[in-house]
Amino acid sequence: HTRYWRDYARTIAGKQQLLISAYARALEVIPRQLCENAGFDSINMLDKLRYEHSKEGGIWYGVDIMKEDVVDNFSSFVWEPSIMKVNALTAASEAACLILSVDETIKHQQSQQDLPPGGIPGGMGGM
């Protein structure tokens, strides 16, 4: 899953590339947290997971807590309702956008108020 977003991010220039790369990293929080909660080496497990995802048809791989490994969830009959994933990703994205828009609004107002009438002051400011 994250491989798709990382590959897609490489095709885009500018700040959007950083945003999409951060989104890809955020998707890895779930398997990382599962590993840490189970007492596994999360770095090793994520490396295995990325490797399996890089293979053709490897999109179904996930962390199996019982086997302490990554497995093909489809062949193991572990199916997650896609509507729940879509709803979770949509809600998280909307929350992030709301936070960013509020932050930008506050930052914009402060930048207007903090500047003296002549613009940005020069010099070392009293040092």
Side-chain angles (χ1 to χ4, degrees):
H1 306 318
T2 59
R3 185 189 88 194
Y4 168 80
W5 289 109
R6 289 181 199 280
D7 291 345
Y8 179 64
R10 289 185 193 109
T11 67
I12 298 173
K15 291 182 181 180
Q16 288 82 7
Q17 182 181 35
L18 297 174
L19 176 73
I20 293 170
S21 295
Y23 197 83
R25 282 192 312 274
L27 291 175
E28 291 182 343
V29 169
I30 296 168
R32 177 179 287 121
Q33 193 63 51
L34 282 172
C35 292
E36 288 179 8
N37 289 350
F40 303 154
D41 179 3
S42 61
I43 294 172
N44 185 35
M45 292 291 268
L46 280 175
D47 284 342
K48 287 182 181 180
L49 191 58
R50 285 186 197 118
Y51 174 73
E52 293 298 336
H53 284 173
S54 70
K55 294 180 181 177
E56 187 69 32
I59 63 169
W60 300 111
Y61 274 79
V63 177
D64 186 334
I65 301 299
M66 303 305 283
K67 294 182 181 177
E68 298 184 24
D69 203 3
V70 295
V71 297
D72 183 347
N73 286 336
F74 191 80
S75 65
S76 299
F77 304 106
V78 178
W79 300 324
E80 301 173 8
S82 61
I83 192 72
M84 291 180 67
K85 283 186 176 182
V86 169
N87 287 341
L89 291 172
T90 302
S93 298
E94 288 174 355
C97 288
L98 180 63
I99 289 169
L100 290 172
S101 69
V102 168
D103 183 53
E104 185 62 31
T105 301
I106 292 170
K107 186 186 298 183
H108 180 65
Q109 289 175 352
Q110 287 178 343
S111 66
Q112 296 294 332
Q113 294 171 357
D114 292 344
L115 293 178
I120 298 175
M124 296 295 286
M127 290 187 158

